[in-house]
């Protein structure tokens, strides 16, 4: 299964670097992802290629006009050879639902995703009302544009396409995949500036290593994001360990 991403922006040049490196590049080269970045100005109706206008009701700033955005999305959905039914049309917005690993998994099940990147004061409300099928925020802060939000969502979903990561189990071990933060990682040297790699990782005892990693994941989550534990899939052994942590009997 592959994903085709369409990104609508007035700054297409912003995407060049990030989509030419790492897993996104690998996914594109393997034919598991394709990304088309579209300049919204190409869908403007006037010779100045205008995509924004002053707000009704006054106030500062500009608002992105609806017509170029509608025209662009309609043209993309009419392209031959690409899915046109049930394609999520995602408006990036600080007012949208929060992007999480669960949302990434949900989006990664679609063969095509369309993103609308806002700028200025945002986009005309009719885009949200009549065109977008989803509205996503990448966090409770305000960016100057939706481009970085689109990049974050592409990076997070590309990793979930089967075959993109070398180790097929890797996306399931990452932080949050099972509702927990991931255990700590170590590589050579064995001792660095006085800090040694935990003995268990050198033991060769695979079962012990698995147990240690699980406990470290639980401990990290308990310390840093206890809110996640409420939704995580935990075994009776996990609960026993968490209770020991609470009582100060485990490390
Ligand atoms: N005035 C808008 C508001 O208060 O909701 C914010 C506009 S913001 C300066 C410009 C654009 O950046 C938005 O239209 C959106 O596309 C994008 N943006 C800003 N913060 C974002 C966030 N946290 N997540 C996703 N997109 C965001």
């Amino acid at each position: 299964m592959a994903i085709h991403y369409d990104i609508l922006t007035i700054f297409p040049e912003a995407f060049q670097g990030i989509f030419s490196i790492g897993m996104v590049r690998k996914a594109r080269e393997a034919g598991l992802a394709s990304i088309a970045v579209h300049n919204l100005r190409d869908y403007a109706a006037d010779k100045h290629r205008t995509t924004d206008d002053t707000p009704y009701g006054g106030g500062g700033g500009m608002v992105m006009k609806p017509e170029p955005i509608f025209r662009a999305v309609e043209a993309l959905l009419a392209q031959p050879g690409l899915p046109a039914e049930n394609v999520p049309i995602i408006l990036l917005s600080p007012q949208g639902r929060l992007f999480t690993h669960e949302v990434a998994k949900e989006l990664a099940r679609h063969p095509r995703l369309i993103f609308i990147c806002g700028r200025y004061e945002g986009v005309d409300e009719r885009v949200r009302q009549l065109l977008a099928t989803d509205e996503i925020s990448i966090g409770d802060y305000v960016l100057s544009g939706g481009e970085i939000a689109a990049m974050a969502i592409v990076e997070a979903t590309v990793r979930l396409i089967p075959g993109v990561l070398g180790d097929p189990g890797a996306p399931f071990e990452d932080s949050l995949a099972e509702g927990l933060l991931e255990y700590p990682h170590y590589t050579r040297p064995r001792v660095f500036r006085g800090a040694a790699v935990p003995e268990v990782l050198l033991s060769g005892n695979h079962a012990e290593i698995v147990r240690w990693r699980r406990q470290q994941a639980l401990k990290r989550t308990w310390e840093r994001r206890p809110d996640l534990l409420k939704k995580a899939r935990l075994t009776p052994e996990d609960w026993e360990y968490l209770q020991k942590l609470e009582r100060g009997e485990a490390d």
Side-chain angles (χ1 to χ4, degrees):
M1 135 121 197
I3 303 181
H4 178 79
Y5 300 88
D6 287 294
I7 299 173
L8 305 180
T9 171
I10 57 167
F11 292 123
E13 63 275 23
F15 294 88
Q16 277 164 15
I18 198 71
F19 290 162
S20 319
I21 60 167
M23 288 302 154
V24 177
R25 175 184 176 168
K26 203 183 137 205
R28 295 174 78 182
E29 286 175 355
L32 294 170
S34 50
I35 306 177
V37 182
H38 310 274
N39 191 342
L40 272 172
R41 294 192 190 285
D42 294 343
Y43 297 90
D46 62 325
K47 70 173 188 300
H48 299 294
R49 310 196 335 136
T50 309
T51 53
D52 57 291
D53 205 341
T54 52
Y56 274 117
M62 300 296 275
V63 175
M64 293 188 69
K65 290 165 68 60
E67 305 96 313
I69 299 175
F70 273 75
R71 212 174 284 132
V73 170
E74 283 160 7
L76 294 179
L77 289 177
Q79 280 176 326
L82 285 169
E85 300 294 323
N86 302 319
V87 179
I89 302 168
I90 301 162
L91 176 63
L92 298 158
S93 156
Q95 302 180 21
R97 63 182 177 132
L98 209 53
F99 186 59
T100 62
H101 188 74
E102 285 309 307
V103 177
K105 281 201 295 192
E106 179 195 315
L107 296 181
R109 285 197 277 269
H110 290 270
R112 187 179 193 186
L113 299 169
I114 298 180
F115 295 95
I116 302 167
C117 302
R119 278 269 152 184
Y120 318 116
E121 287 306 311
V123 304
D124 184 285
E125 183 66 8
R126 272 76 56 95
V127 171
R128 192 192 62 74
Q129 256 178 346
L130 307 174
L131 184 67
T133 61
D134 200 350
E135 199 176 350
I136 294 183
S137 163
I138 60 161
D140 288 340
Y141 40 78
V142 179
L143 301 163
S144 297
E147 288 75 13
I148 286 176
M151 290 176 201
I153 298 175
V154 170
E155 278 245 334
T157 51
V158 148
R159 300 173 58 76
L160 302 176
I161 303 172
V164 169
L165 298 189
D167 170 5
F172 306 106
E173 284 192 11
D174 274 337
S175 282
L176 307 170
E178 280 201 40
L180 298 176
L181 303 183
E182 204 187 23
Y183 53 81
H185 297 277
Y186 292 89
T187 183
R188 275 182 276 269
R190 198 165 161 164
V191 180
F192 179 71
R193 298 200 175 182
V197 174
E199 277 302 318
V200 61
L201 297 179
L202 312 169
S203 68
N205 183 334
H206 187 64
E208 270 307 301
I209 292 172
V210 169
R211 203 169 91 94
W212 180 85
R213 286 181 166 164
R214 181 73 184 178
Q215 292 186 345
Q216 290 295 309
L218 289 164
K219 186 174 175 215
R220 290 227 143 165
T221 313
W222 178 74
E223 284 169 346
R224 299 175 188 203
R225 292 290 307 277
D227 57 301
L228 294 175
L229 290 173
K230 291 189 199 107
K231 283 204 240 151
R233 283 188 298 273
L234 301 179
T235 65
E237 204 184 329
D238 293 336
W239 282 113
E240 204 178 305
Y241 177 73
L242 286 169
Q243 278 158 8
K244 279 192 186 158
L245 279 175
E246 294 278 359
R247 295 195 298 264
E249 292 167 8
D251 55 23

